[in-house]
């Protein structure tokens, strides 16, 4: 892996991800994001350059997941993170549920099934599966 | 739960930062424990008791 978890800390107040706490962390963010910024600002993009950026982005994603999953956290941090993530999830589910209800009402009125956004249903269903699998795993583990 | 971490820590003349490093938590966690705002896991309570050179958890953490 390229970046080290100790260069960062958990992002608490401005979304998800990590915040650099050392100069190495800032250099890492700059170097990893630079090709994507360049791509966005180039007038003409060659196939080779596009391929390079895609590979670069995949490497960055894998490294990002590694860093986020290994950020230094003690038990209090973990508990706070779990509660905050749960609350965030409840907010997301509430919005999605309202969205589904609204779309279902639209379908009932117009009889037009295309008004149902499958992405919302898949998101809720994916959350349901993730929760069930997590509970099965945790019940067996502890 | 009340703790006597501050008392034993002062007795050993170690800082919150040092104790945090010994038991592998952040200084913020030690502050929360000293202010009786956070109930630690059994493992952490055990580590802190050892770090403060006490024999029993009940000497440091009082119900």
């Amino acid at each position: 892996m390229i970046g080290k978890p100790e260069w960062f800390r958990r992002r608490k107040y401005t979304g998800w991800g990590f915040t650099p706490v050392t100069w190495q962390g800032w250099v890492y963010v700059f170097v990893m994001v630079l090709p994507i910024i360049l791509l966005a600002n180039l007038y003409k993009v060659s196939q080779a350059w596009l391929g390079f950026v895609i590979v670069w982005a995949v490497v960055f994603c894998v490294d990002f997941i590694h860093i986020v999953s290994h950020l230094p956290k003690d038990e209090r941090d973990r508990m706070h993170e779990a509660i905050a993530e749960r609350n965030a999830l409840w907010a997301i589910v509430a919005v999605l549920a309202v969205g589904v209800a609204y779309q279902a009402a639209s379908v009932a009125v117009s009889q037009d099934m295309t008004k149902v956004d499958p992405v919302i249903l898949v998101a809720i269903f994916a959350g349901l599966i993730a929760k069930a699998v997590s509970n099965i795993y945790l019940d067996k583990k502890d | 739960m009340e703790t006597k971490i501050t008392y034993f820590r002062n007795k050993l003349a170690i800082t919150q930062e040092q104790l945090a490093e010994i038991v592998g938590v952040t200084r913020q966690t030690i502050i929360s424990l000293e202010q009786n705002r956070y109930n630690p896991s059994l493992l952490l309570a055990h580590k802190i008791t050892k770090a403060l050179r006490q024999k029993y958890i009940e000497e440091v953490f009082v119900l």
Side-chain angles (χ1 to χ4, degrees):
Chain A
M1 291 295 129
I2 305 163
K4 291 187 176 171
E6 52 268 29
W7 295 348
F8 307 93
R9 69 161 182 258
R10 178 171 74 92
R11 187 175 287 183
K12 284 185 182 177
Y13 312 112
T14 52
W16 286 266
F18 52 61
T19 305
V21 286
T22 61
W23 66 267
Q24 292 99 326
W26 286 107
V27 170
Y28 172 85
V29 168
F30 182 73
V31 169
M32 291 307 254
V33 172
L34 190 64
I36 296 160
I37 295 171
L38 287 174
L39 176 74
N41 290 291
L42 284 177
Y43 177 66
K44 276 189 176 179
V45 181
S46 68
Q47 286 289 86
W49 176 248
L50 191 64
F52 168 76
V53 170
I54 289 169
V55 171
W56 189 262
V58 169
V59 169
F60 179 61
C61 284
V62 171
D63 207 39
F64 173 82
I65 291 166
H66 172 260
I67 291 169
V68 169
S69 61
H70 289 83
L71 283 175
K73 281 177 274 187
D74 64 19
E75 62 176 45
R76 183 173 157 276
D77 290 329
R78 284 179 205 285
M79 189 185 72
H80 287 186
E81 185 180 34
I83 294 169
E85 296 289 346
R86 180 204 63 187
N87 292 346
L89 182 66
W90 274 113
I92 292 167
V93 167
V95 171
L96 291 178
V98 169
V100 167
Y102 174 76
Q103 290 179 352
S106 299
V107 168
V109 170
S110 66
Q111 299 294 311
D112 180 8
M113 286 302 288
T114 58
K115 287 192 173 177
V116 175
D117 187 350
V119 174
I120 295 180
L121 292 172
V122 170
I124 292 175
F125 192 65
L128 191 80
I129 291 171
K131 184 180 175 180
V133 169
S134 300
N135 275 322
I136 291 167
Y137 171 76
L138 292 169
D139 276 343
K140 283 187 178 174
K141 185 171 168 267
D142 300 331
Chain B
M1 185 162 62
E2 278 184 41
T3 74
K4 293 179 181 173
I5 295 173
T6 313
Y7 171 74
F8 289 118
R9 189 171 56 73
N10 288 337
K11 222 173 153 185
L12 290 171
I14 56 171
T15 64
Q16 291 173 331
E17 191 76 53
Q18 288 168 323
L19 179 60
E21 204 177 316
I22 293 167
V23 299
V25 297
T26 60
R27 184 171 158 260
Q28 194 57 49
T29 298
I30 299 296
I31 292 169
S32 291
L33 285 165
E34 289 190 352
Q35 293 176 351
N36 306 320
R37 287 194 284 119
Y38 173 64
N39 291 330
S41 67
L42 187 59
L43 180 67
L44 180 56
H46 189 77
K47 281 182 182 175
I48 290 171
T49 303
K50 288 274 175 198
L52 296 174
R53 295 181 197 164
Q54 298 304 303
K55 203 171 178 183
Y56 303 108
I57 286 176
E58 293 91 330
E59 290 174 282
V60 184
F61 298 91
V62 183
L63 279 174

